[in-house]
Amino acid sequence: VYDSSIYAFDEATVAGLEELARGVEFGLAHFQSVRQRIAALESVSEALASQQAAEEELVRSESWYRQLLARSNDFILVLDDQRRLTYANPSALDFVGAELSDVLGIDIYDLVHPDDRDAAQAAFDVLRSSTAPAPSGLYRVRTRDGEWRNFETISTNCLDDPAVRGVIINARDTTENVN
C-alpha cells in the first residue's frame, strides 16, 4: 500500500477508490443538504412559535379592550359621516334599551332633546371637517323610559382612520351634577 512506485495501485483498485471518493462526496453533499433542511425547519418552527405568541397577545389585547368597552359606565358611540350609528358600547345600549342590531344605522340625534338637537348637529358638522377633538358639549338625551338625562360629550373625528371610519363620541351622564 505504501509502495513509492507510480504504479502502486492497479486500475481496479484506483477505480474502487474513485468510486469510494464519489460515494463520500455524495454522502457529504446529502449530509449538508439535510443540515440545511434541519436549519430551515428550525427557522420555520421559531417563526411559527413567534407568530403564535403574537396571535395570543392579540387575542389577550382584544379581550382587554372589549372588557374596557363592556364595563365602562360612559357611553362610547361611533357615527358615520351621515350621523348614523355604527357602534355603541353596552352601557349606551342599556340606556336606550336596545340591541346593537336594533339601533345600527339610526340618526343618533333623534334621541337628543329637540332644544339641543340643532347645536348637537352643528357641532357634528364642524367636527366632520376637522381632526381635532371637539370641545365638550352638554346635551339632553332621552332614556328608554322617556326621561331626559344630561350628557357631557367629547367627540373625535376618526373618519379617515381605516380602523374606525367614524366619529367617536364619548358621553357621560352628568344629570346628578346638573340638578
Side-chain angles (χ1 to χ4, degrees), residues 74-132:
D74 292 349
F75 295 178
I76 302 169
L77 309 170
V78 179
L79 308 181
D80 68 12
D81 64 341
Q82 299 300 308
R83 299 190 314 252
R84 292 180 302 238
L85 186 70
T86 61
Y87 173 80
N89 72 332
S91 292
L93 294 171
D94 287 346
F95 181 80
V96 296
E99 296 292 319
L100 184 59
S101 59
D102 297 332
V103 294
L104 282 179
I106 70 165
D107 184 337
I108 199 69
Y109 292 99
D110 289 344
L111 299 175
V112 175
H113 192 281
D115 293 344
D116 299 341
R117 194 171 294 149
D118 287 343
Q121 290 174 339
F124 182 87
D125 291 339
V126 168
L127 180 64
R128 239 188 336 205
S129 62
S130 171
T131 57

Side-chain angles (χ1 to χ4, degrees), residues 1 7-9 18-19 35 42 58-59 68 83 86 116-117 131 142 144 153-154:
V1 169
Y7 302 104
F9 297 108
E18 287 175 345
E19 182 65 29
R35 279 184 35 186
E42 288 172 345
L58 179 61
V59 167
L68 283 178
R83 299 190 314 252
T86 61
D116 299 341
R117 194 171 294 149
T131 57
R142 188 177 61 241
R144 64 177 161 213
T153 65
I154 298 286

Side-chain angles (χ1 to χ4, degrees), residues 119-120 123-124 127 132-139 151-156 168-172 174:
F124 182 87
L127 180 64
S136 64
L138 295 171
Y139 308 106
F151 278 85
E152 179 180 13
T153 65
I154 298 286
S155 304
T156 305
I168 300 173
I169 300 175
N170 296 83
R172 174 172 288 156
T174 59

Side-chain angles (χ1 to χ4, degrees), residues 147-151 172-179:
E147 175 188 359
W148 294 103
R149 305 283 297 178
N150 295 298
F151 278 85
R172 174 172 288 156
D173 188 343
T174 59
T175 303
E176 304 307 321
N177 298 345
V178 173
N179 294 334

